[in-house]
Amino acid sequence: MKITDIQFGMLRVPLKTPFKTALRTVERVDDIVVMVHTDTGHVGFGEAPATAVITGDTHGSIVDAIRHYIAPRLIGHEVADLNRITHLIQASMEKNTSAKAAVEIAVYDLWGQLYKAPLYQLLGGGDPVITTDITISVDYIDKMVADSISAVERGFESLKIKVGKDIGVDIERVKAIYAAVEDRALLRLDANQGWTAKQAVYALQTLEDAGVKLELVEQPVKARDLEGMRYVTERVHTPVMADESVFGPMEVIELIRLRAADIINIKLMKTGGISNAIRIADIAGLHGIDCMIGCMLESSISVAAAVHVAVAKADVITKVDLDGPSLCQYDPVDGGVNFNESEISITDAPGLGIRQIHGLEPIDG
């Protein structure tokens, strides 16, 4: 099975409600879909969102990176030579992690198809059913409380609460949600870099003193402020998770060396795909550090790949934040992973199991 061509499409899927964080507001998924074709007629699917405020990637940069730097290196290579292909992808250029991830996902999909097995089985196996949290976007307190109650009533047992806009209001938001859901769900805070280190310590100590129990707080300070991350980690009881501070394996090693976080959030769009995600999980596991696996605003194409990784690395990836498909008004994919509110399950179809993607708009070159 040799790679013969790489094609693109644009996928647009409206969200059920606007996705609001300390960094941005988004109303629909607008993602680049990558289709890697082979001489056997098999097609592998990948996907990349343009999350410029986090990864620096735009739609144009994703397509150009793949078309001009990644694709020329892969044409003619055997899918079975997976390690060689992933090396070529990662070495093709600096950064551009979302573009690399989209192509890697498609190649891993083909690898599973080649060996006629679901991807997670080739990555090590595991229980093909996991549960995810769901994001509660930053908004007026009453709206966030209502959204939290609705999520709990739909079966979600973990809520990811977006904060980081206003420290005083953030504290009141969390108190109100905690009181409303009581013991029916775990609360995870995500400040999306919205606080300073001192603000984070103040907010978290205030919540802890008020009896609010939090499962974790994610990326309380700016991505590059590792000293700030360590400052917070050393002064609060709530576990601190690094997200935007960690893209690849080398940053994980530095974070661990500094003891700047308790948990690491792995996202394929930050790591550049599956190969580095696995490396990060292995590094974290060696140091006894748990990981979460998360996603950007992605459809079930690329999130499916993250699900396969989560299942295969469940000994280290103990927390799941793969709610992208649940936030969409509909699933444009036939086949693949099944997303049913908080429960996510993998079928026995080979690779990612994707049969068809509806509504793709062609991207000409």
Side-chain angles (χ1 to χ4, degrees):
M1 185 188 289
K2 289 184 180 180
I3 295 173
T4 57
D5 191 22
I6 298 181
Q7 298 178 357
F8 307 92
M10 175 66 77
L11 182 65
R12 305 183 193 276
V13 183
L15 300 178
K16 294 174 182 176
T17 59
F19 181 84
K20 301 178 182 179
T21 75
L23 294 175
R24 58 185 178 140
T25 297
V26 183
E27 296 186 350
R28 69 181 184 184
V29 167
D30 289 296
D31 289 2
I32 301 294
V33 175
V34 174
M35 293 154 282
V36 177
H37 293 258
T38 65
D39 62 351
T40 60
H42 294 83
V43 179
F45 295 98
E47 175 190 9
T51 316
V53 295
I54 298 174
T55 64
D57 297 312
T58 66
H59 291 136
S61 72
I62 291 166
V63 172
D64 283 353
I66 296 171
R67 179 174 285 148
H68 299 299
Y69 294 91
I70 300 174
R73 288 166 166 78
L74 304 188
I75 302 302
H77 280 276
E78 292 281 354
V79 170
D81 196 2
L82 182 68
N83 287 345
R84 173 63 176 163
I85 291 176
T86 58
H87 171 74
L88 289 171
I89 293 170
Q90 297 304 321
S92 63
M93 62 194 309
E94 288 296 315
K95 304 185 185 300
N96 290 274
T97 53
S98 298
K100 293 175 180 177
V103 179
E104 266 211 7
I105 289 167
V107 170
Y108 272 89
D109 183 15
L110 287 169
W111 189 54
Q113 293 179 49
L114 174 64
Y115 293 106
K116 298 180 174 59
L119 179 57
Y120 79 93
Q121 291 183 357
L122 298 179
L123 296 178
D127 183 350
V129 180
I130 58 176
T131 58
T132 181
D133 63 13
I134 193 166
T135 299
I136 306 299
S137 288
V138 64
D139 214 316
Y140 296 109
I141 292 176
D142 290 348
K143 176 69 164 55
M144 293 182 72
V145 168
D147 289 347
S148 299
I149 293 172
S150 173
V152 170
E153 290 175 347
R154 286 155 48 202
F156 287 93
E157 297 179 349
S158 298
L159 307 179
K160 187 174 185 178
I161 312 299
K162 292 291 187 179
V163 292
K165 298 284 280 187
D166 181 305
I167 192 77
V169 179
D170 283 341
I171 292 170
E172 296 308 313
R173 286 181 174 116
V174 178
K175 286 182 179 178
I177 293 170
Y178 184 77
V181 303
E182 298 175 324
D183 295 327
R184 294 179 291 169
L186 297 172
L187 299 189
R188 302 166 174 174
L189 299 193
D190 186 2
N192 284 114
Q193 310 178 61
W195 294 334
T196 66
K198 288 187 176 181
Q199 284 178 327
V201 170
Y202 167 74
L204 293 168
Q205 288 183 347
T206 299
L207 290 168
E208 290 170 357
D209 291 344
V212 175
K213 298 177 182 178
L214 302 172
E215 185 184 12
L216 59 87
V217 59
E218 181 175 356
Q219 199 62 48
V221 304
K222 295 297 183 184
R224 296 182 181 180
D225 187 9
L226 296 188
E227 290 295 336
M229 288 287 288
R230 180 165 65 178
Y231 180 91
V232 178
T233 301
E234 290 175 343
R235 287 165 174 80
V236 299
H237 296 294
T238 302
V240 175
M241 181 168 70
D243 180 11
E244 291 94 340
S245 289
V246 176
F247 273 57
M250 297 305 295
E251 289 148 319
V252 171
I253 292 170
E254 179 66 5
L255 193 88
I256 293 171
R257 186 186 70 80
L258 292 174
R259 300 182 184 274
D262 304 295
I263 309 165
I264 294 164
N265 191 348
I266 300 171
K267 291 179 180 174
L268 300 186
M269 298 303 140
K270 294 188 304 173
T271 64
I274 294 172
S275 62
N276 275 334
I278 292 170
R279 290 188 183 97
I280 289 173
D282 288 342
I283 292 168
L286 285 172
H287 290 85
I289 294 175
D290 285 352
C291 293
M292 171 186 280
I293 193 157
C295 60
M296 306 297 188
L297 274 178
E298 306 163 41
S299 79
S300 61
I301 302 168
S302 52
V303 176
V307 172
H308 282 266
V309 173
V311 167
K313 290 293 180 181
D315 57 329
V316 176
I317 299 174
T318 59
K319 297 168 178 56
V320 177
D321 175 34
L322 298 176
D323 61 348
S326 296
L327 301 177
C328 294
Q329 289 188 16
Y330 59 86
D331 188 350
V333 176
D334 287 342
V337 169
N338 296 317
F339 294 88
N340 182 22
E341 296 288 17
S342 63
E343 183 179 281
I344 305 173
S345 58
I346 301 176
T347 69
D348 59 1
L352 298 180
I354 296 171
R355 297 190 302 271
Q356 185 177 2
I357 302 170
H358 298 280
L360 273 186
E361 303 171 12
I363 296 177
D364 297 324

